[in-house]
Amino acid sequence: MLELKRLSKSYVPGKPVLVDIDLEIAARGITSVIGPSGTGKSTLIRCVNRLVEPTSGEILFDGVDLAGLSGQRLRHARRHIGMVFQEYNLVERLTVMENLLSGRLGYVSPWAAWRRAFPPDDLRAAFELLDVVGLAGYANRRADALSGGQRQRVGIARAVMQRPKLLLADEPTSSLDPKTSVEIMQLLADVARSREIPVLVNMHDVELARRFADRIVGMSEGRIVYDGPPATLTDGVLKSIYGGEAWLH
Ligand SMILES: Nc1ncnc2c1ncn2[C@@H]1O[C@H](COP(=O)(O)OP(=O)(O)O)[C@@H](O)[C@H]1O
Ligand SMILES: [Mg+2]
């Protein structure tokens, strides 16, 4: 599905943020990337859909190296990668439905998009998804009238509207309270499992990652230092990822 090969990134020459990352993401399941802030988690996820230019290495997505694409070919490849953001990235003054349909913008012609002439299938899918994410009846509500949890539900629905082959999420619950965080992770997990979409998600909350991920990738200083199931993420491993130990108990 997705394979990163010797992926490296330096924003400043000589100061690598990602160092030779090798990572293979299977066709299903939730992979959670954990690690201290500043360790390159966002950079990693943003390299995958080329919001950040990798310095070197390959990003094989369905056998095609995204690192070598540009223009229309990159735009087309990106349609198959949905993204969920920490701060939701909704268009605040548009309605929930308009935000959802923006997930289809990569597919309809600019002319159809300008006239907001989305195919009936897209509208049907959008209403169905609103129901799935628990926002039936919110179609015409403006995004700026929603709570954080509701916004993230829209963010997830919008990403799924793309009919993605892969979902990326960059700390999707960091702006939410603990209860809402669990609900949003549950929703992400449910949607991913029912639609068989693999998820690569950065998380700052280790317990939440343990609870929802099938696989945990621990990063430290731009390198992968752990890759395995939640069950073997021991205190010793956490110490190697985050350093110190006073915070552990
Ligand atoms: N656009 C950028 N320009 C320069 N440095 C950046 C940029 N984005 C991130 N960095 C630096 O790269 C490092 C990794 O950042 P980031 O990927 O955001 O880590 P994380 O998501 O794990 O907190 C940090 O030192 C950060 O300051
Ligand atoms: Mg980050």
Side-chain angles (χ1 to χ4, degrees):
M1 162 53 50
L2 176 71
E3 190 180 357
L4 307 180
K5 283 188 179 172
R6 297 184 64 90
L7 185 74
S8 296
K9 171 65 183 177
S10 308
Y11 293 100
V12 179
K15 292 188 177 169
V17 168
L18 296 179
V19 187
D20 286 341
I21 298 285
D22 286 312
L23 185 65
E24 210 173 318
I25 302 295
R28 63 184 63 193
I30 297 183
T31 303
S32 177
V33 180
I34 62 170
S37 53
T39 206
K41 303 182 297 297
S42 296
T43 301
L44 177 69
I45 257 189
R46 285 167 172 267
C47 276
V48 172
N49 61 4
R50 296 273 308 276
L51 289 175
V52 163
E53 275 312 300
T55 304
S56 62
E58 292 172 51
I59 306 158
L60 297 173
F61 181 62
D62 266 354
V64 175
D65 185 8
L66 297 185
L69 298 186
S70 60
Q72 192 182 29
R73 292 182 64 207
L74 177 60
R75 279 200 299 280
H76 279 186
R78 266 194 191 134
R79 303 197 293 208
H80 301 295
I81 303 176
M83 178 94 171
V84 176
F85 299 86
Q86 179 182 338
E87 296 293 341
Y88 328 120
N89 283 27
L90 304 183
V91 185
E92 292 288 320
R93 60 190 175 75
L94 294 185
T95 65
V96 166
M97 180 53 69
E98 286 166 327
N99 272 282
L100 248 64
L101 288 170
S102 73
R104 299 301 300 163
L105 280 178
Y107 292 91
V108 302
S109 72
W111 169 241
W114 182 74
R115 291 191 301 127
R116 300 191 180 172
F118 289 91
D121 274 358
D122 287 352
L123 293 171
R124 228 181 344 260
F127 278 108
E128 191 190 309
L129 263 173
L130 273 188
D131 204 25
V132 168
V133 303
L135 291 178
Y138 283 75
N140 295 319
R141 205 72 72 86
R142 266 173 62 139
D144 56 12
L146 302 179
S147 70
Q150 291 170 332
R151 279 171 208 220
Q152 198 55 298
R153 288 170 188 274
V154 176
I156 291 169
R158 176 184 57 187
V160 173
M161 274 300 286
Q162 283 175 244
R163 298 199 188 101
K165 293 179 186 165
L166 170 70
L167 266 180
L168 304 174
D170 196 359
E171 302 208 10
T173 66
S174 298
S175 304
L176 303 172
D177 64 68
K179 175 167 170 281
T180 308
S181 295
V182 170
E183 291 167 357
I184 288 296
M185 279 312 296
Q186 188 67 58
L187 175 65
L188 192 59
D190 289 347
V191 170
R193 291 209 171 100
S194 66
R195 296 179 187 234
E196 298 186 0
I197 309 169
V199 181
L200 182 60
V201 53
N202 289 343
M203 305 194 60
H204 76 293
D205 183 330
V206 175
E207 286 317 309
L208 212 53
R210 262 195 224 276
R211 182 163 163 188
F212 287 99
D214 302 297
R215 172 184 177 193
I216 293 188
V217 171
M219 281 181 65
S220 175
E221 296 177 7
R223 296 169 197 270
I224 293 176
V225 296
Y226 174 81
D227 185 351
T232 52
L233 188 70
T234 58
D235 281 3
V237 174
L238 286 172
K239 218 161 78 177
S240 74
I241 298 172
Y242 291 95
E245 53 192 311
W247 62 279
L248 278 169
H249 294 286

